[in-house]
Amino acid sequence: MLTTLNRVIKSGFMNFWRNGWLSTATVLIMTITLAVWTSIFLTNVVLTSVLNMLAEKVDVSVYFNLDTKESNILSLKSKLEGMKEIASVEYVSAEQALLIFKKSHAGDEVLIKSVQDLPDNPLEASLNILAKDSSNYGVIADFINQSAEKSAISKINYTENKIVIDRLNNIIGVLRQSGAAAGLALAFIAFLVAFNTVRLAIYSSREEITVMKLVGASNWFVRGPFIIEGVLHGVIGSIFSLAIIVAVVAFLGPKLLNFLPEINMINYIGDNFWFLLLFQALGGIILGVFSSWFAVRKYLNV
Amino acid sequence: MIRFENISKIYNSHSVALKDVTFEVKPQEFVSLVGRSGAGKSTLLKLLIAEEKPTGGKIFFNSQNVLKMHNRELPSLRRQIGAVFQDFKLLPNKTAYENVAFAMEVAGKSEAQIKSDVCKVLDLVGLKDKMNNFPRELSGGEKQRVAIARAMVHRPSVIVADEPTGNLDPINTWDIIRLLLKINELGTTVILATHDKEIINALERRVVSLENGTVFRDENPGRYILS
Ligand SMILES: Nc1ncnc2c1ncn2[C@@H]1O[C@H](COP(=O)(O)OP(=O)(O)OP(=O)(O)O)[C@@H](O)[C@H]1O
Ligand SMILES: [Mg+2]
């Protein structure tokens, strides 16, 4: 039993070596397939965080009439904070609004002066609401409209931005779905290419398989070396593929960082290096073994 | 030991290889199978190692019905039969040594035993100095001798040799025939399919003649006679 296992492993390594360019070609295809799989995975990671960022940047502002008592506003705030759809509520008082206004128009003397000349603060107090998910804004708006403080509200910014928010929501949904579909399709195509490469390679060995069987080899004795070869293709392919991914990220990562400071691909790869290596090696081994197993099976029936 | 019973083999409508063939081979017999090209000699040998399935009839090996054997049992049947194929069937990615050793590896023999036996057999067929050559680096006759070495290295109880001297010069041919006779004397059953009239007549052993897929002569000792 142990001698047989030994022979099968040795034979697998030897075939891999003697098959020369055929092994090289198979490893190359495996590399490409694994690189495609990993790219899809990483793109998904980036896309998800971009979409989350976009979703977070949307919020709803509720403005109150100038004479509204602060206690009224705070009572609405605490009610809103009790809603499970809401991530956070920020209270901006009229004084704070004025400060912010002055700050953001610091260079514009005329405008600031005209505001200061007024007897009262013309700015309204507001609540800035951040939902957990941008699709929740409808529920939140309904809640506000039915609340006791409704009469004190001068406007809800959501109503004005409704179209933008809805559109963004649609875009995010479509992006998520079509991205997932395209990724799956691409991953499947990559799998087919690798699978068929292995099948072709084993097709060229079909007569050898027959001969081995006729000389008295058991199915496992014939299949074993091909499976070892499959493991080798997968492992070597995964190392190459990871090298490619690391090189591409090292090149593209800094550029991505320039316009999306929240997404640091280089750190991500660094933190997840072992996971990625395992992901690729496991993917490669499963792909190689599965393809070999399936391709050999057809010719064993002698 | 081996019994063909009413064997027929129809490859397709315009290629009927065997029709109602019945004969028996006793242990330690040396039987020659003769007949014109296309008479069905190779087909008969292929049926014995279950490379092909007959259309009808029964085949017994040591009173076991070969046709009833499960796929799992075929390797052990094939390890008891040493086959020299008409087209050699060497493994192209293995050296002469590895090809011969393969027949012992499949049976799980120890590395030490394989080493000594393979070298001995390669020496017997005169290929000791070519044992690290790949089949593509061997001549037709050399390949044939590797095939012969592979068929006997694991000491099978039967050797079926399909035209084993087809590519050999007269001296090598007689060396191989003498080798087969010697193995036969040591107790191995031999079935030899050949076109070589001279050999058959010199052997003075049993001869089964096939014509158009039927046995038309079975004599012991027999001669090479085609109708
Ligand atoms: N795989 C096949 N498919 C169809 N017909 C076949 C096949 N193999 C053999 N035949 C036919 O079966 C018949 C017997 O073939 P076989 O190879 O047994 O002859 P043979 O006696 O060994 O001839 P030779 O002396 O030339 O080797 C021939 O007519 C051949 O054409
Ligand atoms: Mg023949």
Side-chain angles (χ1 to χ4, degrees):
Chain A
M1 196 53 218
L2 211 63
T3 19
T4 305
L5 191 67
N6 228 344
R7 272 171 196 155
V8 162
I9 293 173
K10 205 175 128 199
S11 175
F13 273 85
M14 200 138 82
N15 291 349
F16 178 81
W17 179 246
R18 284 183 184 166
N19 277 332
W21 74 265
L22 196 60
S23 301
T24 313
T26 312
V27 166
L28 200 77
I29 296 289
M30 285 278 178
T31 304
I32 293 170
T33 301
L34 290 171
V36 167
W37 282 3
T38 312
S39 310
I40 291 170
F41 175 75
L42 290 179
T43 311
N44 186 40
V45 169
V46 172
L47 218 61
T48 308
S49 42
V50 169
L51 294 181
N52 284 344
M53 262 166 46
L54 285 180
E56 261 172 33
K57 286 199 165 144
V58 187
D59 58 5
V60 175
S61 299
V62 181
Y63 294 92
F64 296 89
N65 297 328
L66 285 175
D67 54 357
T68 311
K69 282 201 228 82
E70 191 165 52
S71 63
N72 265 345
I73 298 174
L74 288 178
S75 94
L76 180 62
K77 178 172 186 268
S78 64
K79 270 188 251 166
L80 285 171
E81 276 167 346
M83 283 180 79
K84 66 177 189 307
E85 286 89 353
I86 288 177
S88 71
V89 184
E90 189 198 6
Y91 171 51
V92 181
S93 66
E95 292 75 34
Q96 280 168 323
L98 189 60
L99 279 178
I100 294 169
F101 180 85
K102 281 182 181 165
K103 222 178 186 174
S104 59
H105 299 279
D108 197 339
E109 298 288 338
V110 184
L111 193 64
I112 294 199
K113 195 154 185 313
S114 65
V115 173
Q116 267 167 349
D117 286 348
L118 291 170
D120 290 316
N121 181 356
L123 294 177
E124 297 168 333
S126 65
L127 285 176
N128 288 330
I129 302 163
L130 195 63
K132 288 207 177 103
D133 192 297
S134 54
S135 64
N136 290 336
Y137 284 116
V139 184
I140 297 168
D142 286 348
F143 179 82
I144 295 170
N145 279 327
Q146 284 157 23
S147 69
E149 290 82 1
K150 165 104 175 68
S151 55
I153 292 170
S154 75
K155 69 175 179 215
I156 300 176
N157 220 341
Y158 170 83
T159 344
E160 286 175 9
N161 286 348
K162 189 175 181 351
I163 297 167
V164 177
I165 290 175
D166 284 349
R167 201 171 278 170
L168 194 64
N169 249 338
N170 279 341
I171 292 172
I172 289 174
V174 169
L175 264 181
R176 279 232 165 93
Q177 276 172 11
S178 54
L184 275 180
L186 196 59
F188 187 66
I189 290 170
F191 159 76
L192 278 188
V193 170
F195 179 57
N196 281 317
T197 306
V198 171
R199 281 216 318 189
L200 273 180
I202 288 178
Y203 175 78
S204 72
S205 303
R206 68 198 182 285
E207 276 176 31
E208 273 176 86
I209 294 173
T210 309
V211 172
M212 290 181 195
K213 288 292 312 267
L214 290 181
V215 175
S218 64
N219 283 357
W220 268 110
F221 203 79
V222 175
R223 182 159 44 203
F226 285 101
I227 288 179
I228 300 292
E229 271 188 276
V231 171
L232 286 175
H233 293 149
V235 169
I236 299 175
S238 69
I239 293 170
F240 283 163
S241 146
L242 193 62
I244 291 174
I245 296 285
V246 167
V248 169
V249 167
F251 178 71
L252 285 184
K255 300 189 175 183
L256 193 66
L257 208 56
N258 279 341
F259 66 101
L260 284 174
E262 289 89 344
I263 299 172
N264 190 334
M265 281 311 283
I266 297 176
N267 280 355
Y268 182 83
I269 295 270
D271 292 345
N272 295 287
F273 184 84
W274 295 110
F275 164 74
L276 281 175
L277 186 64
L278 198 72
F279 173 83
Q280 302 228 357
L282 223 59
I285 289 172
I286 291 172
L287 182 63
V289 169
F290 171 82
S291 306
S292 298
W293 178 290
F294 227 77
V296 172
R297 205 177 68 141
K298 197 167 155 190
Y299 305 113
L300 281 176
N301 216 354
V302 184
Chain B
M1 174 176 213
I2 295 167
R3 183 170 166 75
F4 294 98
E5 236 178 75
N6 310 108
I7 285 296
S8 65
K9 173 69 185 176
I10 303 169
Y11 281 109
N12 48 53
S13 58
H14 46 92
S15 171
V16 179
L18 295 170
K19 280 173 286 190
D20 198 25
V21 170
T22 301
F23 72 95
E24 189 170 348
V25 178
K26 299 216 159 52
Q28 300 177 25
E29 234 184 333
F30 191 116
V31 183
S32 301
L33 212 52
V34 303
R36 282 177 211 284
S37 178
K41 307 181 291 295
S42 298
T43 301
L44 202 55
L45 300 183
K46 283 176 188 168
L47 294 179
L48 179 60
I49 59 168
E51 183 182 349
E52 296 279 356
K53 285 212 179 321
T55 316
K58 289 178 188 155
I59 301 170
F60 291 96
F61 182 82
N62 286 337
S63 71
Q64 248 191 311
N65 191 341
V66 173
L67 305 174
K68 290 252 166 71
M69 281 188 184
H70 197 274
N71 270 347
R72 268 179 284 116
E73 300 171 289
L74 291 181
S76 106
L77 167 76
R78 288 166 178 162
R79 285 172 208 162
Q80 293 175 66
I81 303 174
V84 184
F85 300 94
Q86 194 167 10
D87 54 354
F88 316 145
K89 293 202 194 301
L90 298 180
L91 298 165
N93 273 335
K94 291 192 189 294
T95 63
Y97 176 93
E98 290 162 358
N99 261 287
V100 177
F102 191 80
M104 294 181 82
E105 287 177 355
V106 297
K109 296 274 163 51
S110 80
E111 214 54 49
Q113 198 189 345
I114 291 178
K115 203 162 166 46
S116 87
D117 287 7
V118 173
C119 288
K120 240 182 271 168
V121 173
L122 280 173
D123 198 22
L124 271 179
V125 297
L127 282 177
K128 211 169 178 194
D129 51 334
K130 298 273 166 92
M131 68 181 194
N132 290 323
N133 287 27
F134 287 95
R136 60 173 176 277
E137 302 163 341
L138 295 170
S139 75
E142 286 166 344
K143 278 191 268 224
Q144 192 149 40
R145 282 181 282 157
V146 175
I148 293 164
R150 179 179 66 185
M152 55 200 219
V153 71
H154 55 301
R155 294 166 215 196
S157 53
V158 184
I159 289 189
V160 295
D162 195 354
E163 212 70 66
T165 56
N167 287 275
L168 303 181
D169 59 76
I171 296 176
N172 261 316
T173 297
W174 277 108
D175 281 349
I176 294 299
I177 296 299
R178 268 196 292 273
L179 191 58
L180 287 175
L181 282 169
K182 175 121 174 282
I183 292 170
N184 177 240
E185 259 166 45
L186 294 174
T188 308
T189 312
V190 176
I191 304 177
L192 169 70
T194 183
H195 284 298
D196 198 321
K197 184 174 180 179
E198 234 179 279
I199 294 173
I200 300 293
N201 291 344
L203 277 173
E204 299 187 325
R205 299 294 183 106
R206 181 175 167 201
V207 176
V208 174
S209 309
L210 287 179
E211 191 183 83
N212 285 332
T214 55
V215 178
F216 87 104
R217 236 171 226 282
D218 185 350
E219 293 168 325
N220 191 5
R223 294 181 60 75
Y224 186 87
I225 302 166
L226 296 182
S227 60

